[in-house]
Amino acid sequence: MSIETLLNGESKNVEYKLTPPSRSINYTKTAVAFANGQGGCLVFGVEDQTLRVVGIAEDKVFTVMDSISDAIVNSCEPLIIPDITMHDVNGKTVIVAEIAPGLQRPYHIKSLGQEQGTFVRVAGTTRQADQPTIRELTIEGSNRSFDQVQCLGLSVTEKDIEALCASLTKTAKNNAEDPAKVKTVTEKQLLQWGVLAEQDGQLVPTNAYAILTGNTAVRSVVQCGVFKGTTKAVFVDRREFTGTPQELIEESYQYVLRNIHMGARFKGVYRQDVYEIPPDAIRELIVNAIVHRSYIDHSSIQIAIYDDRLEITSPGRLPLGQTIERMKQGYSKIRNEALASAFEYMGYIEHWGSGILRVLQEVRDAGLPEPEFLGGDTDLRINIYRNGSETGSDDGIVTGLRRDSLSDDGIVTGLRRDSLSDDGIAEETTSKTNAAPNATITVLPSQKERILDALRKNVSISISDAMRILGVQERQAQRILKSLIEEGSAVKIGAARATRYAEAKKRTEPHE
């Protein structure tokens, strides 16, 4: 780092000291923080508030350099050896102590002990590390992956292993273009990935096993919410999802789709739904959050939908060697190696490092501002800003929530909702001819289960309720409800626009 760059102001990697403080801990703790992070420089002889270069007295330069080196070497553990140099700035001498990223983490102040003496950099300041951060640093320092460590208190049977292998294989086939080419997961494969480990001749589950099976031994939660405005001051809706990674991905993905704007365009009689944020980008960011989050940190992944943006927050500092800039360039640093291997097998990850690049391209192609990447010190937050338009774009795609009529060329220019159902929920009146007449509609078991769950919790639901719950169009919702009726799980009540659906065993009439 050049001296010109160092004098641009304090940052995550630069801290100023006017003179070496009488108490060396005032800068040795920053040296520890730099070693525990991406490295950094202590610059002596510069006033931090004004950036004024004061310099170090000529007759004291070498004495000060020696005292700085001795303080860092003697106070920090494991050993930190700074690279100390002096620079002339307009006739004044400044001293720079450069600290490289350390590999023997966690580094701490010897006299304070590891628990009280471990420090990290957060938003340009030096802060004492909490226990989850210390654990994460310890994992990094041992060159291990947390998800490959044995999950204490959890046991596994042959039947459990077979069930996990079947679940992973099923997901991989569902996501594959050619399911016949997907090889079945075996116990040996789980061992190679680190989902299982061997101890005293016995198979034991790792943290990755707990995560992949949705076991609460390792906390894995996604919190979703819709907020009015651009802050979290006013909740509109919120949900919390738990379970296997496959369930978390699907539930949170569908939640976002249900709560963002969708328009449409037509080619002949064929309708194409167009969301204001590319669904593939949404799914990719959710997958990345689940596979790359810190599971040592007990916080939840948070997905927040505001009036102006979609915000996804993943717990945990960036892994050793990773930065936001490198991430956006396609550089991948795997935090959870076993999970990454399983996700790649299941088809959620194509090539490590390519996911963020695809997100950037998809958002760019949709005409939206480039996603915003924030944090990295304690968590990573990614914002995708919404279009906000309620009229047709230049290519005839509607991004708003009003569909009033069809233009001459058959492109929807507004979203019409003619009437309200009894429960006050708007029901869409788009003609069925908008959909492709010969299109195949697939009914997923997870979709049916969500409708059944809604039927159990409510006296009855309308077709628009089903559309909202599933995030699908009217024709798909009708197909799913029809499937449940044919199975005997649901019954149809009423007719025409008064039609509602209830759980078969209840056969309850709708409220008036």
Side-chain angles (χ1 to χ4, degrees):
M1 191 178 297
S2 68
I3 187 63
E4 291 78 13
T5 302
L6 289 175
L7 296 178
N8 284 337
E10 288 189 328
S11 67
K12 180 179 178 180
N13 306 105
V14 177
E15 182 163 310
Y16 297 149
K17 298 294 180 185
L18 188 59
T19 58
S22 57
R23 296 184 71 236
S24 62
I25 193 172
N26 289 331
Y27 61 88
T28 55
K29 66 181 183 181
T30 300
V32 162
F34 285 151
N36 281 328
Q38 303 300 324
C41 293
L42 285 158
V43 183
F44 297 88
V46 179
E47 195 172 58
D48 62 346
Q49 298 295 324
T50 64
L51 307 187
R52 184 169 63 94
V53 176
V54 177
I56 303 296
E58 289 290 337
D59 59 340
K60 295 183 179 179
V61 169
F62 292 103
T63 302
V64 170
M65 291 174 67
D66 287 343
S67 65
I68 292 171
S69 177
D70 289 344
I72 294 174
V73 169
N74 295 330
S75 300
C76 305
E77 192 173 81
L79 181 66
I80 297 175
I81 301 178
D83 181 13
I84 301 181
T85 56
M86 59 180 179
H87 301 265
D88 182 88
V89 180
N90 299 325
K92 296 178 180 178
T93 302
V94 298
I95 297 173
V96 177
E98 184 172 359
I99 311 296
L103 299 177
Q104 296 176 282
R105 305 178 177 199
Y107 291 86
H108 62 276
I109 301 298
K110 196 183 304 183
S111 61
L112 297 178
Q114 187 179 98
E115 186 173 342
Q116 299 296 323
T118 300
F119 295 88
V120 293
R121 293 289 280 183
V122 178
T125 62
T126 297
R127 298 184 186 178
Q128 186 175 339
D130 57 15
Q131 282 304 312
T133 301
I134 293 174
R135 288 186 64 196
E136 183 113 34
L137 290 168
T138 302
I139 291 290
E140 289 179 355
S142 62
N143 198 28
R144 293 181 299 164
S145 174
F146 171 77
D147 65 334
Q148 294 177 324
V149 175
Q150 180 184 354
C151 186
L152 300 178
L154 191 63
S155 59
V156 65
T157 66
E158 286 295 330
K159 187 176 181 180
D160 294 332
I161 295 173
E162 290 174 3
L164 177 57
C165 289
S167 173
L168 298 179
T169 303
K170 180 181 178 181
T171 301
K173 289 185 175 182
N174 288 341
N175 289 338
E177 292 184 5
D178 186 357
K181 293 183 179 180
V182 175
K183 296 182 179 179
T184 302
V185 176
T186 63
E187 181 182 289
K188 181 179 179 181
Q189 188 69 70
L190 296 182
L191 276 165
Q192 290 177 347
W193 290 343
V195 175
L196 296 175
E198 283 187 303
Q199 185 179 65
D200 299 328
Q202 299 291 323
L203 290 178
V204 295
T206 64
N207 291 317
Y209 175 90
I211 296 166
L212 289 170
T213 56
N215 192 290
T216 55
V218 177
R219 179 177 168 81
S220 182
V221 176
V222 177
Q223 294 178 330
C224 296
V226 179
F227 302 88
K228 182 177 177 61
T230 59
T231 69
K232 291 183 178 177
V234 181
F235 263 111
V236 176
D237 182 66
R238 52 183 164 184
R239 292 287 303 276
E240 184 172 288
F241 301 114
T242 59
T244 66
Q246 299 98 305
E247 292 168 335
L248 293 178
I249 292 169
E250 184 63 24
E251 294 285 359
S252 51
Y253 172 68
Q254 292 296 337
Y255 183 91
V256 174
L257 294 187
R258 290 196 298 272
N259 287 286
I260 62 174
H261 295 173
M262 181 176 65
R265 65 181 170 193
F266 291 89
K267 293 183 179 179
V269 296
Y270 292 90
R271 167 185 171 135
Q272 179 182 1
D273 292 330
V274 182
Y275 287 93
E276 60 176 321
I277 299 174
D280 287 347
I282 297 170
R283 191 178 186 86
E284 188 71 48
L285 289 179
I286 293 172
V287 169
N288 268 272
I290 291 172
V291 73
H292 294 305
R293 65 156 291 175
S294 167
Y295 285 93
I296 294 176
D297 189 325
H298 289 175
S299 301
S300 304
I301 292 171
Q302 293 187 336
I303 301 176
I305 302 170
Y306 300 94
D307 288 352
D308 66 335
R309 70 191 186 278
L310 167 67
E311 178 183 275
I312 299 179
T313 304
S314 180
R317 60 206 296 275
L318 290 176
L320 173 64
Q322 182 65 297
T323 65
I324 288 176
E325 291 73 23
R326 299 185 77 184
M327 184 190 310
K328 293 166 68 174
Q329 294 169 2
Y331 177 82
S332 178
K333 182 68 175 180
I334 305 301
R335 184 198 304 274
N336 301 304
E337 295 182 5
L339 284 185
S341 296
F343 271 54
E344 184 178 31
Y345 166 79
M346 288 188 289
Y348 288 122
I349 299 175
E350 291 184 12
H351 302 288
W352 291 354
S354 66
I356 294 299
L357 292 179
R358 286 198 301 275
V359 169
L360 293 173
Q361 186 61 52
E362 287 161 2
V363 171
R364 191 179 301 119
D365 290 346
L368 298 175
E370 182 172 313
E372 182 179 38
F373 293 74
L374 302 170
D377 298 322
T378 56
D379 55 31
L380 177 65
R381 179 167 299 169
I382 301 177
N383 290 324
I384 297 183
Y385 284 87
R386 305 170 68 175
N387 191 305
S389 171
E390 291 192 351
T391 60
S393 60
D394 292 339
D395 59 359
I397 300 174
V398 173
T399 55
L401 279 177
R402 289 175 29 190
R403 187 166 62 229
D404 296 327
S405 61
L406 292 178
S407 62
D408 293 338
D409 58 359
I411 297 174
V412 175
T413 57
L415 179 64
R416 185 176 184 183
R417 293 184 181 271
D418 289 334
S419 60
L420 294 177
S421 61
D422 294 340
D423 58 0
I425 298 176
E427 296 190 300
E428 188 174 343
T429 60
T430 304
S431 170
K432 294 179 184 178
T433 60
N434 291 348
N438 297 321
T440 300
I441 297 180
T442 302
V443 177
L444 301 176
S446 60
Q447 292 177 318
K448 292 199 289 187
E449 185 56 40
R450 286 203 295 275
I451 292 298
L452 286 173
D453 183 57
L455 294 177
R456 296 185 192 106
K457 295 177 180 177
N458 299 277
V459 174
S460 64
I461 66 172
S462 67
I463 186 69
S464 61
D465 291 337
M467 291 164 60
R468 176 176 53 80
I469 292 166
L470 298 172
V472 299
Q473 295 305 298
E474 184 175 4
R475 185 164 177 250
Q476 174 74 337
Q478 288 175 333
R479 181 70 185 87
I480 294 167
L481 287 165
K482 181 181 178 183
S483 175
L484 290 172
I485 291 172
E486 291 173 348
E487 293 175 1
S489 300
V491 293
K492 183 177 178 181
I493 304 170
R497 298 196 64 77
T499 300
R500 297 182 71 82
Y501 302 85
E503 190 177 4
K505 65 181 181 180
K506 292 182 178 179
R507 299 189 179 277
T508 305
E509 291 299 323
H511 288 303
E512 297 184 355

